[in-house]
Amino acid sequence: MEVLRVKLRSLTSTFRYHTFQSGQQPTLPMPPISTLVGLLSAAKGDIVSIDQIDFLGYIFFTKGNGTDLEKTYYLGGDKQDILKKDFLVDNTLYLYLPLSWEKFLKNPKYQLLLGRSSDLAYTDEIKKINLDKKSNVKISNTIVPLGTINAFGTLQAIPIEFNYSQSPRRVEKLKPFILVSQSFTYPNEIFCDPELDLGVWIYEKEYFS
C-alpha cells in the first residue's frame, strides 16, 4: 500500500490526560488520536473530523522528559497558582496518511503543534513509501487497539476527537488503547515500514465510528 509518510520534529511535546484538570499535569508518552486530528486541522486550515481521514497510523519517538513550572491565572478573579507540568523532549513523529494530505502538510495553513500551543512542530520530511504486510514484525512507540494479542503496554482511554461547538470543548469520541512503549512481536500480518523496520498499525476511519 502506498502511503504518505510525514516526519515531524518538536523540541517539546505535551499530551494531556483528559481526566486531569488540576494538580500536576502528567503527559501521555505518545500522542492520542485527537492530537493528530488537531494537527491535520491546522495543516488544512479548517476543523477536520476523524470521518474525513480515510486512514492514519503513527510511530512516535522521544529522547526524554522533564517537569516545568507554569503560572496559571484563573478567569473572573485575581487568583493565581503554580502548577507542575510534565513534557517530552526532542521528539520525532512518523505519521502515515493517504496521499491526498500531501498538499496540506507541504504548505500548512497554521502552525503545527505536538500538544499545547508552546509545543511547536516542523515538518522534517514528506515522502511516499510502500507499506507491505508482514508477520512477526516488531511493534513499538505507538498505540494499538485493546485486545491485541501479546500487546504489552499501558491501558488508557484516550480521546479521538473533540467537539468545538461549545466552550470549553468536550470529548466527542473516546476509545481504549494500549500505549506500547516497549516493543513486542506481533505474530499476525501487519503493515511494516521497511526503513524503520517496525510495524505500523493503520487505523481506518470505520474503527472510530
Side-chain angles (χ1 to χ4, degrees), residues 14 20 22-27 66-72 81-87 116:
T14 310
F20 283 81
S22 61
Q24 182 165 344
Q25 299 293 307
T27 176
T67 301
D68 199 4
L69 294 178
E70 183 178 84
K71 180 180 283 188
T72 299
D81 201 358
I82 302 294
L83 300 177
K84 291 183 177 181
K85 177 176 70 71
D86 297 339
F87 60 94
R116 295 157 58 110

Side-chain angles (χ1 to χ4, degrees), residues 182-200:
Q182 296 184 348
S183 66
F184 73 96
T185 300
Y186 187 65
N188 301 326
E189 283 194 339
I190 187 175
F191 288 109
C192 181
D193 186 323
E195 296 180 17
L196 301 181
D197 196 26
L198 286 173
V200 181

Side-chain angles (χ1 to χ4, degrees), residues 68-152:
D68 199 4
L69 294 178
E70 183 178 84
K71 180 180 283 188
T72 299
Y73 297 89
Y74 291 85
L75 294 175
D78 298 327
K79 184 180 178 182
Q80 303 177 18
D81 201 358
I82 302 294
L83 300 177
K84 291 183 177 181
K85 177 176 70 71
D86 297 339
F87 60 94
L88 305 174
V89 180
D90 196 358
N91 311 291
T92 303
L93 172 69
Y94 290 90
L95 186 57
Y96 304 85
L97 294 163
L99 302 181
S100 58
W101 283 94
E102 182 176 12
K103 59 183 178 181
F104 300 117
L105 288 157
K106 277 190 172 181
N107 297 286
K109 181 72 173 180
Y110 299 115
Q111 178 62 58
L112 304 180
L113 304 173
L114 278 179
R116 295 157 58 110
S117 58
S118 59
D119 299 316
L120 302 179
Y122 66 93
T123 302
D124 192 48
E125 180 185 63
I126 298 177
K127 66 188 298 185
K128 299 173 184 177
I129 67 169
N130 286 306
L131 301 180
D132 294 325
K133 282 192 172 182
K134 296 182 179 180
S135 58
N136 297 314
V137 172
K138 287 186 177 180
I139 297 177
S140 183
N141 299 81
T142 190
I143 60 176
V144 298
L146 178 63
T148 302
I149 299 174
N150 294 329
F152 300 98

